Structures are given as structure tokens and as C-alpha cells.
Amino acid sequence: MTSLIFTPVVGAIVLLFFPSENKSLLRWFTLLVTLLVLLPTLWIALPWSEALSFEIGDAGLQHVVQASWIPSFDIQFFLGIDGISFPLLLLTALISCLAMGASWTIDKYVKSYCMLYLLLLAGMMGVFLSLDFFLFYIFWEVMLLPMYFLIGVWGGPRKEYAAIKFFLYTLVGSVLMLIAVLMLYFNSDLRQLSVQQLATAHIATWDEAGQLLSAEEYKAKIDASEYPLHTFNILALQQLGQHTDVFDQALLFGKSVQWWAFVLLFIGFIIKVPSVPLHTWLPDAHVEAPTPISMILAGVLLKMGGYGIVRICYPICPDAGYDLVWVVSSIGVISMVYGAFAALAQTDFKRMVAYSSVSHMGYVVLGLGVWSATAGTVFDPVSWSMGVKGALFQMIGHGISSAGMFFMVGVIYDRVHHRDLNQFGGLYGKMPVYTAMAMLLFFAGLGLPGLCGFIGEVFVVLSVWKLSATLAAIAAAVVILTAAYILWAIQRVYLGPEYRGPHPEELTEINLREMAIALPLCVLAVVLGVFPATMFRYMDATVDQQVTDLVDWTEDVKLPRLRAEREAAAEKDVAANAP
């Protein structure tokens, strides 16, 4: 686990000693480093080694790495994977390797580009591996500067504007997240947890001799303390949020600490998703970013917002998640509809694909926000579990199809240096192999049955039915809008009349390097569409366990609380109406 983060960092340091003028060597070395991250990740995914392979039926953490880092504040170097993080870790390693292959067209400041690229990769892997909130936040911020420079230096004509807009939006989200982290930290108290809960949270501490204490020994030690013991451990914060009342005290306007923490965290995460109305940085960033960075943005960075919601918001702040279910679900549906209509209105090929990402990521927010396991459904967790799994699968499917779509747009842009949809046409006759692969990836983005975009969308739509048939109908109808802009783009670019733009002589067939990047994405789009269980089998146990825990919390904690509030309100009304 540690090597997945530090291999890119070491690679970036080694690049310092490479000659700047040898661009080919710099590119090949950076690609090698990304392969050294991808191959161990694939090895974990395959059932070859009992010691290293991912245990499919295990709902808990695997391959845990824990070491004391800043002991005075109980900050640890705490890494691990489970069914929520591991599929996204796989996606990150794959897209990063393919995007580096797409970076052969980068010809300016190649050494600096490769170093920033590897630092970005380290930050992305760190986000999905970190289970200490302080460490998570550091890796979240580590991604910010490399991406800012990768857009601002190697981007298009309005690159400075796009980079600054990306930086400011992300920074605002980071500040809100930091406030929420501090709120949770200073209200946490490990003394409130039982021995079993401490063990579930992988709470680790060491004595003066460096020996690891057991959960029982640590419990006896902290019970003797007269002061609260705060923690950044994400799993411990989940236990505190679901099994104690430490985050329930009122803070502002009668709302609790966890309610405000949920709101701040949710805003920070949906900026990264991005969702309406905090999405406006994305089209500019995509249009101005070079092709490989657009692949990273769409394939990986957007997924970090969804990951933060499912990993942090709901398990730590369930009370707010329950109360705000309509807000979250409505934001998801509005983003789906708005993004689809905005994509229909575009004449820039890349901007159209960017708005399609806003629409498709709305399914993720909707699926995660569906709290369907309530008293009205006899606390049936099936729909909610389907929504969360559908959202996670949508993140994987969209990561593959959107990265592929941006790459295919980049292949054409590298040849003719424009993206005006009204000037394209007839590419199928000039580039048949490229066109076939591009159409497959665009159909995957459309959600065609048998391809990777279909499964997640259907699961999300089915999951929301018990919450609201109206929202389910709107979400299903968005497929029509998606088909409209995808098919219209295919008609204008690949079919239709002859090409009318500049540089028609440059429209040559896809080359071997480009084929090596596009082919894995096409294969995965088909494999995940036909055999979705290849990905669901990693998610099932962990998602089912998390949903079950939150359903138990709903039944044991939230429902009695709501009943007590209703009874108190009824008694107040009776007293007010009494003569």
C-alpha cells in the first residue's frame, strides 16, 4: 500500500537528474513508473496470492498499514483498502497509465510535466488509501497544485483563467472540509467507544517500548484519562457518529455538530463531483486542459467527490444524511437534467463531453443520497444498497467512458487543431478504425445496454423508486436527453457530409500508440457492461455492511428520536390549546 503512494514520489525525484533535452527518455520513464503502480494494483485484484489478493467476501479493511506519525495529536499514517476504495484505486492506476501514454503529444517543458504528473498520481492514490482524516486532507490538497500547473502551463488559450477558476473552487471546498474536520476532531472522544468498537475502527497505539497495545489495553488506558481523547481516525469517527451522541450537541440555529459537518463536507465534495450550481469550473478546466489531464480529471478527480460522500459524509454524520435526503437527491437530479441540456447546446466537442460528465455524475449523487430504508419500507435496505452500488459502479463506468471520450476528442484535435462540431463530418470514411472505437466509447457514455454506462444508471433509477417515483421518472427520462446529444454528436462528427474544417489532409487513421490507449478502454467498456459482477464482487460485502449499519442506526436511534420529537410537539400543542 505504501509503495502505491511513494513509487510516484520517488519517480518524480529521480526525474530531477534526467537531462531535460531527452524528452523520449523522460516520457518512457514516467510511463514505467505508472506501470509500477498499475501492476501491483492488478496483482491485488487477481486471486493469485493468498497473502496479497483482495478477499472478495471480507467487508472490513484489508492490507492495513498503521504507524504513528504525529503522536501528540494521535495523527497516524493509516492506509487500507476495502470494497469501496479498491475499485477506485484500480481505476486510478489504469487511467493514470493510459493518460501518460496520451502525453506523448506534450512537447513543452516535458521534464516538469512528468514530475507534476507523478506527484498528482501520488496524491490521487493517497486519497483512496488514507483512513486518517488529517492524512486524507493532506493528499486531497497535494493534488491541487500539480493540477493547477498542468492546466495553467500546458493548457489552451484561456489556460490561466481555467486554472485559477479550478484552484479557487477547489480551495473553497478544501477550506470548508478543514472546518468540518476540526469540528469533528474536537468533538470526538475515544472514551465513548467500547473495546469492540475500538477494534473495528483499527485504533492503534504504542507504549513507550514501541509495543502495539491491544484494544483491551488501550481501552483501560483511555478510561483512566480525565480529558477527552480526540481522533482523526475515519473509522473511529464513523463509530462515534453512529453509536454515541458526541456529535449531536446543538451548534447553530438548533442544528447539531454533525449536521453542520455534513453540510460543509458535502459542499466540499460536490464541488469536486461537480454538481449544480458548483460545477462551472469543470467545462473551462476540461476545454483548456491538455488531453491526458482531461482524462485524469474526468476519469479520476471527479470520483473523489463521490468517494468522500460515501466514505465520510454518511457513515460519520448519519443524522444529517437522513434529514437532508431530499436535498441531496434533488441536487443529483437537477445536475443530471441541467448537464444534459447544457451538453445539447454546445458546439465545442470537448465542452459537450464536459457537460455530459456533470449529467452522468448526477446519477452518483442521487444513488448515494437515496435513504430508502425507513419505517415506511419496513427498513428494507435492498433499494438503498442498490443505489450505493449503482453509484459506485457509475463512477467506474463513467471513469472509463469519459476518459475514452476525451481521448478520442484529443486524437482529432491533435490532427486538425479545432473542436467545432459544425465543421466536422464524414470522419468514418477517412478514419474507420478510429470511428468504430470512438462510437463504442460514446455509446458507453450514452448508457447503451451491454456497455459499462448502463448498469450504474439503471441501478440508481431503480433504487430511487421507493423514495420518490417522480425523481425516478425524471432520472430515467434523462437517458433520452443523453441519447440526443450523443447521437447528434456522432452524426455531426463521424457520419453526415464531408469534413469542412481546416487541415483535412491531417485526418489520418489512428496510430499504434493511440490504439494501445483506446483499446483497453473499449474492452473494459464491453466487459463491465456484459459482466458487471467482475466489479460488483469487490463492492458487495463492504457496501452491504455499511448500509446495514446505517439501517440499524435508523431503526434504533433515528426513529425513536423522531417519535419522541412528535410526542413532545403533540404534548406542546395540547398544552397550548388547553383552556
Side-chain angles (χ1 to χ4, degrees), residues 139-186:
F139 283 121
W140 187 274
E141 292 300 290
V142 161
M143 299 182 303
L144 182 57
L145 278 178
M147 184 58 76
Y148 169 78
F149 286 114
L150 288 167
I151 296 173
V153 176
W154 289 273
R158 300 175 71 239
K159 56 190 177 185
E160 292 89 355
Y161 169 78
I164 291 173
K165 194 172 184 180
F166 163 79
F167 188 92
L168 291 177
Y169 268 80
T170 308
L171 188 62
V172 168
S174 298
V175 170
L176 296 178
M177 188 190 304
L178 180 61
I179 295 171
V181 170
L182 295 176
M183 288 168 54
L184 294 172
Y185 174 77
F186 285 111

Side-chain angles (χ1 to χ4, degrees), residues 35-73:
L35 281 170
L36 291 177
V37 174
L38 174 61
L39 293 177
T41 313
L42 291 176
W43 187 271
I44 295 172
L46 298 173
W48 289 349
S49 169
E50 292 185 4
L52 294 176
S53 294
F54 186 88
E55 291 293 332
I56 301 297
D58 189 352
L61 284 183
Q62 302 180 37
H63 301 290
V64 175
V65 175
Q66 268 183 295
S68 181
W69 185 24
I70 308 176
S72 54
F73 297 102

Side-chain angles (χ1 to χ4, degrees), residues 40-163:
T41 313
L42 291 176
W43 187 271
I44 295 172
L46 298 173
W48 289 349
S49 169
E50 292 185 4
L52 294 176
S53 294
F54 186 88
E55 291 293 332
I56 301 297
D58 189 352
L61 284 183
Q62 302 180 37
H63 301 290
V64 175
V65 175
Q66 268 183 295
S68 181
W69 185 24
I70 308 176
S72 54
F73 297 102
D74 193 31
I75 298 173
Q76 298 182 358
F77 185 77
F78 183 16
L79 310 177
I81 57 174
D82 62 8
I84 295 174
S85 59
F86 183 62
L88 293 168
L89 201 70
L90 270 172
L91 178 70
T92 303
L94 174 67
I95 298 299
S96 299
C97 186
L98 297 178
M100 187 57 223
S103 299
W104 251 246
T105 55
I106 302 295
D107 200 51
K108 181 176 70 172
Y109 310 131
V110 175
K111 183 175 180 178
S112 299
Y113 174 90
C114 292
M115 292 177 65
L116 289 169
Y117 188 91
L118 291 177
L119 292 176
L120 177 65
L121 174 56
M124 293 187 299
M125 300 299 281
V127 165
F128 293 125
L129 286 170
S130 298
L131 292 165
D132 182 281
F133 220 151
F134 189 84
L135 188 65
F136 175 91
Y137 184 79
I138 286 177
F139 283 121
W140 187 274
E141 292 300 290
V142 161
M143 299 182 303
L144 182 57
L145 278 178
M147 184 58 76
Y148 169 78
F149 286 114
L150 288 167
I151 296 173
V153 176
W154 289 273
R158 300 175 71 239
K159 56 190 177 185
E160 292 89 355
Y161 169 78

Side-chain angles (χ1 to χ4, degrees), residues 11 88 188 278 319 323 418 522:
L88 293 168
S188 63
L278 302 173
D319 195 52
D323 291 343
H418 80 92
C522 291

Side-chain angles (χ1 to χ4, degrees), residues 571-579:
E571 292 174 0
K572 187 176 180 180
D573 290 340
V574 170
N577 295 326

Side-chain angles (χ1 to χ4, degrees), residues 56-59 389 536-546:
I56 301 297
D58 189 352
K389 291 176 185 176
F536 278 128
R537 65 196 192 111
Y538 295 108
M539 307 175 188
D540 282 344
T542 303
V543 172
D544 288 342
Q545 184 63 56
Q546 177 166 299

Side-chain angles (χ1 to χ4, degrees), residues 208-269:
E208 292 77 6
Q211 297 296 315
L212 183 67
L213 297 180
S214 66
E216 292 80 3
E217 293 170 330
Y218 185 60
K219 176 63 175 174
K221 178 180 177 181
I222 62 177
D223 282 346
S225 174
E226 59 180 309
Y227 301 109
L229 275 90
H230 306 311
T231 184
F232 284 106
N233 184 307
I234 291 176
L235 302 184
L237 293 173
Q238 292 176 2
Q239 295 293 323
L240 289 168
Q242 295 175 40
H243 300 291
T244 72
D245 60 357
V246 294
F247 300 142
D248 291 339
Q249 57 266 39
L251 188 63
L252 289 173
F253 309 114
K255 299 298 184 181
S256 65
V257 169
Q258 68 159 287
W259 194 93
W260 285 109
F262 182 97
V263 170
L264 294 175
L265 288 167
F266 183 72
I267 294 172
F269 290 136

